[in-house]
Amino acid sequence: MVWLAYSIKEQIRITDMYSLFEVHYDNGYEFPGETHNFWECVYIIKGEALVSGNERVYNLAQGSIIFHKPLELHKFIVNSPEGARLFIFSFSAEGPLTAYLEEKVFELSDFQKGIMAELLAFLRARTDQGSLAAGTPCSYLEPFHTQPTYPQMLASWLQQLMLSLAEAGAVSSVSSAPDVLIFRNAISYLNSNIHRQPSVPEIALFCNVSQASIKRIFDRYAGMGIHKYLLKLKIKAAAELLQAGETVSNVAEKLGFNSQSYFSRAFRRETGLMPSSLK
């Protein structure tokens, strides 16, 4: 008898974890906008939250999960009267499936919710978890230091979920609220003018709203001012150009920075890396 070997080609593999916690936030809690060079997911265990990723805004309910790709600007606001219980984790991953997960929000099926329920039960059983006080995260990273099998078991559940979503994931649609459309319009304008520094009055005029309105909209959906948001867009664009082989000086010039040294300082402040390290 001839035995054939069937190779297993990994579609996704989680390589590192940066955060892993469960938390309850009261109604009205706002997580300020941030960006970092690794993935982050927010899973709604209970309640509802308004979540943004770059220009996309979603109203997420219980059983929904959002994937924020590296360098994506993201924030959330809890908007259910009873507050919201969230499971948040950030990680690095490799494999062809990572591209599919970019800019995705899913409403989990009963089977996929079962995976998450099993994972959470495993995490809670392996850690010293007291009562979950509002606003106080319960971290599940400590067993990484003491339980050798823990990281791989955790990764296996998360990878099973991601594989299931790729096969049969119900993708959620973005919000079409009037302020959200204005927000998306403004970001489109910023991206089209990323080589310079458009002013707030100019952006407000383009969106046909007042300066006060455009500032309020950015504060709500981005968690930061327009110029700070534009800087983060420039840094994201810079990372892509550098990875494509552009020189640091060319990138600084293309994106409208006053000098190469200022660009390098800003890039390091926002990413923790020197621009030259991406080449």
Side-chain angles (χ1 to χ4, degrees), residues 136-150:
T136 303
C138 176
S139 175
Y140 295 124
L141 287 176
E142 183 58 33
F144 271 73
H145 305 295
T146 58
Q147 302 176 31
T149 61
Y150 180 86

Side-chain angles (χ1 to χ4, degrees), residues 23-225:
V23 64
H24 174 88
Y25 290 121
D26 291 334
N27 182 37
Y29 172 83
E30 293 192 25
F31 175 75
E34 68 170 5
T35 180
H36 39 64
N37 197 31
F38 44 83
W39 290 83
E40 183 165 306
C41 286
V42 178
Y43 174 59
I44 312 293
I45 301 172
K46 188 176 182 181
E48 298 179 0
L50 184 74
V51 185
S52 62
N54 286 341
E55 74 281 2
R56 304 170 346 272
V57 179
Y58 300 88
N59 293 298
L60 300 190
Q62 181 173 329
S64 298
I65 189 169
I66 183 168
F67 286 81
H68 296 298
K69 65 183 179 180
L71 296 180
E72 180 172 287
L73 298 166
H74 54 276
K75 73 162 292 187
F76 65 81
I77 304 170
V78 174
N79 58 358
S80 48
E82 73 278 15
R85 191 180 185 103
L86 310 175
F87 176 53
I88 300 174
F89 57 98
S90 55
F91 61 97
S92 291
E94 55 189 31
L97 184 55
T98 55
Y100 171 75
L101 296 175
E102 292 182 358
E103 301 183 351
K104 288 289 197 312
V105 172
F106 298 95
E107 297 175 11
L108 300 195
S109 66
D110 288 342
F111 172 73
Q112 291 156 353
K113 289 177 185 176
I115 295 173
M116 293 302 290
E118 289 179 3
L119 170 59
L120 287 165
F122 166 77
L123 296 175
R124 292 164 184 162
R126 292 296 187 96
T127 56
D128 262 342
Q129 178 184 260
S131 58
L132 199 62
T136 303
C138 176
S139 175
Y140 295 124
L141 287 176
E142 183 58 33
F144 271 73
H145 305 295
T146 58
Q147 302 176 31
T149 61
Y150 180 86
Q152 190 171 350
M153 292 180 73
L154 161 67
S156 68
W157 262 298
L158 292 177
Q159 288 163 182
Q160 183 186 6
L161 173 69
M162 295 170 191
L163 291 167
S164 174
L165 291 173
E167 286 192 336
V171 181
S172 300
S173 58
V174 297
S175 171
S176 58
D179 277 0
V180 172
L181 297 179
I182 293 168
F183 181 61
R184 289 164 57 187
N185 226 11
I187 293 176
S188 176
Y189 187 76
L190 292 177
N191 278 314
S192 298
N193 293 274
I194 202 166
H195 58 285
R196 60 187 192 87
Q197 193 77 16
S199 66
V200 173
E202 178 184 346
I203 298 162
L205 181 63
F206 176 81
C207 295
N208 197 31
V209 295
S210 68
Q211 293 181 49
S213 292
I214 200 68
K215 289 178 180 177
R216 173 184 56 78
I217 288 169
F218 267 80
D219 183 60
R220 177 168 177 78
Y221 296 120
M224 63 188 71

